């Protein structure tokens, strides 16, 4: 799905060759500051690379319309945005920004089930914990139905048990709907249980299948 060749970004990343496959769970691991989040941002053109080539579905990324790309390849940052209002309003606002039709409550409740958030749709988001807000933001992304999920530490605000349950559900969703997930994580437990492929960023970038 993604192919990177001789890609450089400032003095943060230098990638000789890297392939990220379609319909797989790819985990990106490495020390803090090694460039994991930077790699995610390169994949949906949030930042421009300085040198090399990145391909998405065999098309040069620079030739793909940025808006169209970000409708298919959506990134959820580690500290996602929460807007004033209810859970329903926060879930639907992504569809509004993308000029997509709204969905009914039954689909919204299905999303809440997927992200394991046992809350009423009318609950004000200001009353939610950090982990609950993180899950609402994830639900907003799922409603947009992207081809690729770029997730930056999606469970960082969750306890270990909740983390496992939510990531398990998210992986199930990804496989059921034939999506691709590329996830930055510090959790060895997530990598061990869920990764199809692992990208390790250190002095050099290495990749291995699980």
């Amino acid at each position: 799905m993604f192919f990177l060749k001789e890609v450089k970004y400032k003095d943060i990343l230098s990638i000789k060759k890297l392939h990220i496959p379609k319909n797989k769970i790819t985990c990106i691991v490495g020390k803090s500051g090694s460039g994991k989040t930077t790699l995610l941002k390169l994949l949906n053109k949030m930042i421009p690379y300085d040198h090399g080539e990145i391909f998405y579905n065999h098309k040069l990324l620079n030739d793909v319309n940025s808006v169209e790309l970000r409708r298919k390849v959506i990134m959820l940052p580690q500290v996602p945005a929460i807007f004033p209002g209810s859970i329903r309003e926060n879930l639907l606002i992504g569809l509004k920004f993308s000029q997509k039709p709204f969905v009914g409550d039954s689909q919204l409740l299905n999303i809440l089930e997927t992200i394991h958030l046992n809350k009423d749709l009318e609950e004000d988001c200001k009353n939610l914990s950090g982990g609950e807000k993180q899950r609402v933001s994830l639900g907003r992304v799922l409603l947009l139905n992207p081809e690729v999920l770029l997730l930056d530490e999606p469970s960082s605000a969750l306890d270990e048990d909740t983390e496992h349950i939510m990531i398990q559900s998210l992986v199930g969703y990804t496989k059921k709907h034939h999506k691709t997930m590329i996830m930055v994580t510090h959790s060895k437990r997530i990598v061990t249980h869920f990764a199809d492929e692992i990208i390790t960023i250190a002095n050099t970038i290495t990749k291995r299948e699980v």
Side-chain angles (χ1 to χ4, degrees):
M1 174 164 275
F2 287 99
F3 179 68
L4 293 79
K5 182 179 179 182
E6 303 292 347
V7 171
K8 293 183 179 181
Y9 178 77
K10 299 185 177 180
D11 59 350
I12 299 173
L13 282 179
S14 180
I15 303 170
K16 187 171 184 179
K17 187 181 292 186
L18 178 65
H19 173 247
I20 302 176
K22 188 175 183 178
N23 298 339
K24 298 288 186 180
I25 309 298
T26 297
C27 286
I28 303 174
V29 300
K31 294 181 179 180
S32 296
S34 60
K36 302 183 298 299
T37 299
T38 298
L39 177 55
L40 286 189
K41 290 180 177 180
L42 290 174
L43 296 180
N44 78 339
K45 296 177 72 173
M46 288 187 68
I47 55 175
Y49 47 96
D50 300 321
H51 182 269
E53 295 176 319
I54 299 179
F55 294 88
Y56 172 65
N57 287 335
H58 307 292
K59 294 181 179 179
L60 192 63
L61 204 63
N62 285 342
D63 294 337
V64 179
N65 179 274
S66 298
V67 174
E68 292 300 319
L69 176 71
R70 292 183 194 130
R71 287 176 177 169
K72 297 176 181 178
V73 183
I74 297 183
M75 179 172 174
L76 181 69
Q78 188 172 353
V79 183
I82 289 290
F83 300 90
S86 66
I87 290 175
R88 176 189 282 108
E89 290 169 321
N90 267 270
L91 290 173
L92 292 175
I93 200 167
L95 296 173
K96 178 182 178 180
F97 289 158
S98 300
Q99 298 181 327
K100 293 184 177 182
F102 283 0
V103 299
D105 283 2
S106 61
Q107 190 167 342
L108 296 181
L109 291 171
N110 285 337
I111 289 292
L112 292 187
E113 185 176 348
T114 299
I115 60 176
H116 289 269
L117 185 60
N118 186 22
K119 294 287 183 179
D120 190 282
L121 288 170
E122 294 303 321
E123 178 87 33
D124 195 314
C125 283
K126 70 181 181 182
N127 299 326
L128 302 180
S129 69
E132 289 168 342
K133 291 176 180 178
Q134 194 174 37
R135 279 178 276 173
V136 169
S137 298
L138 178 58
R140 184 193 303 142
V141 168
L142 296 182
L143 275 174
L144 293 171
N145 194 32
E147 293 179 2
V148 182
L149 298 164
L150 303 177
L151 306 179
D152 192 3
E153 297 283 358
S155 57
S156 59
L158 304 178
D159 62 75
E160 193 173 82
D161 290 339
T162 306
E163 172 189 71
H164 186 88
I165 292 169
M166 194 199 76
I167 296 297
Q168 184 176 46
S169 179
L170 187 56
V171 167
Y173 169 91
T174 301
K175 292 183 178 294
K176 178 181 178 181
H177 295 280
H178 308 291
K179 306 294 185 183
T180 300
M181 185 194 303
I182 304 169
M183 173 171 51
V184 169
T185 182
H186 282 98
S187 172
K188 293 181 180 179
R189 187 179 182 186
I190 288 178
V191 174
T192 300
H193 283 89
F194 301 115
D196 295 317
E197 304 218 352
I198 301 168
I199 297 170
T200 301
I201 301 182
N203 293 329
T204 59
I205 292 180
T206 60
K207 191 187 96 168
R208 65 183 175 87
E209 295 181 2
V210 177

